[in-house]
């Protein structure tokens, strides 16, 4: 049942992304009527964990509207306790069937992690969270930043399960699907990994 809902949500996001790529985005469910309808209660079809990058806007690139997506964003979609707790909230209180982890091309956070530059303040904490994905792809062919970003999107799904017993158990019980994807800034296309 929940897996059907996850598949349906994925198909819907994919269809929205195809419209966005083709320049036929409909901008659905963004009018005053929808705004009033969701003011009292939200029932998002999926949670999206993605980067804070200004060019990666889930509602736009999946052609979704108000109340459709529960979005958690940190630089490089790194997982801290706030991000994990937010996803747990979406599962427990909003019954979302799907968590989509969306990495992207030309990610500044991943680029810095690949370059190995230490950052001031808490920026280094963000870099450290990405570095295992850099190390895992250090000998891979092709573009180092792209390889690390894809790996980081894949790795984040196992990190979620490791960091959250609630989310892990929901996956085991088939109440929740966690899927990774990669967004190309230039083409606008999302590739499910
Ligand atoms: Zn980014």
């Amino acid at each position: 049942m929940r897996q059907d809902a996850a598949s349906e949500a994925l198909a819907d996001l994919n269809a929205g992304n195809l419209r966005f790529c083709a320049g036929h985005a409909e901008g659905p469910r963004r009018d005053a009527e929808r705004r009033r309808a969701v003011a009292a209660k939200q029932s998002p079809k999926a949670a999206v964990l993605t980067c804070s990058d200004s060019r990666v806007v889930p509602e736009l690139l999946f052609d979704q509207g108000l109340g459709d997506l529960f979005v958690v964003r940190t630089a490089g979609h790194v997982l801290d306790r706030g991000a994990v707790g937010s996803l747990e909230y979406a599962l427990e209180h909003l019954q979302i069937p799907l968590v989509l982890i969306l990495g992207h091309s030309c990610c500044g956070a991943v680029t810095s992690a690949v370059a190995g530059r230490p950052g001031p303040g808490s920026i280094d904490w963000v870099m450290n969270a990405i570095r295992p994905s850099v190390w895992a792809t250090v000998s891979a062919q092709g573009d180092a930043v792209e390889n690390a970003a894809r790996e980081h999107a894949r790795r984040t799904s196992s990190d979620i399960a490791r960091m959250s017993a609630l989310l892990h158990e929901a996956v085991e019980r088939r109440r929740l699907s966690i899927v990774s994807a990669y967004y190309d800034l230039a083409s606008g296309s999302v590739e499910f990994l």
Side-chain angles (χ1 to χ4, degrees):
M1 180 73 183
R2 300 302 293 165
Q3 286 193 311
D4 288 352
S7 305
E8 205 175 294
L10 261 183
D12 190 63
L13 296 181
N14 188 43
N17 179 247
L18 292 176
R19 292 195 299 274
F20 174 73
C21 285
H24 301 310
E26 293 167 357
R29 299 175 292 283
R30 297 180 192 174
D31 56 8
E33 191 187 343
R34 173 68 169 182
R35 190 179 67 230
R36 283 189 292 270
V38 295
K41 187 178 189 305
Q42 62 170 324
S43 184
K45 63 187 76 169
V48 179
L49 169 66
T50 191
C51 185
S52 303
D53 194 301
S54 62
R55 302 161 293 180
V56 183
V57 184
E59 286 83 354
L60 296 183
L61 65 95
F62 289 120
D63 198 21
Q64 299 294 313
L66 288 170
D68 285 337
L69 300 177
F70 184 94
V71 180
V72 180
R73 295 174 71 170
T74 56
H77 60 74
V78 296
L79 285 169
D80 56 16
R81 203 162 173 190
V84 170
S86 300
L87 294 173
E88 289 177 338
Y89 177 87
L91 173 73
E92 290 295 302
H93 293 269
L94 306 174
Q95 285 79 45
I96 48 111
L98 173 70
V99 171
L100 181 69
I101 299 148
L102 186 65
H104 71 99
S105 63
C106 307
C107 180
V110 173
T111 302
S112 294
V114 167
R117 287 189 295 269
S122 294
I123 297 175
D124 213 43
W125 190 92
V126 174
M127 299 298 104
N128 279 333
I130 299 172
R131 280 189 185 115
S133 301
V134 176
W135 297 327
T137 52
V138 77
S139 54
Q141 301 269 315
D143 184 80
V145 172
E146 185 174 335
N147 289 339
R150 285 169 185 274
E151 171 65 17
H152 187 51
R154 280 189 291 263
R155 188 171 283 251
T156 300
S157 82
S158 45
D159 287 346
I160 285 176
R162 186 173 49 75
M163 291 172 73
S164 168
L166 271 180
L167 294 163
H168 176 65
E169 193 188 323
V171 171
E172 294 282 298
R173 291 170 137 197
R174 297 169 185 250
R175 260 183 77 199
L176 177 72
S177 297
I178 302 178
V179 174
S180 297
Y182 183 79
Y183 175 63
D184 184 82
L185 289 186
S187 71
S189 74
V190 171
E191 175 194 347
F192 293 91
L193 301 173

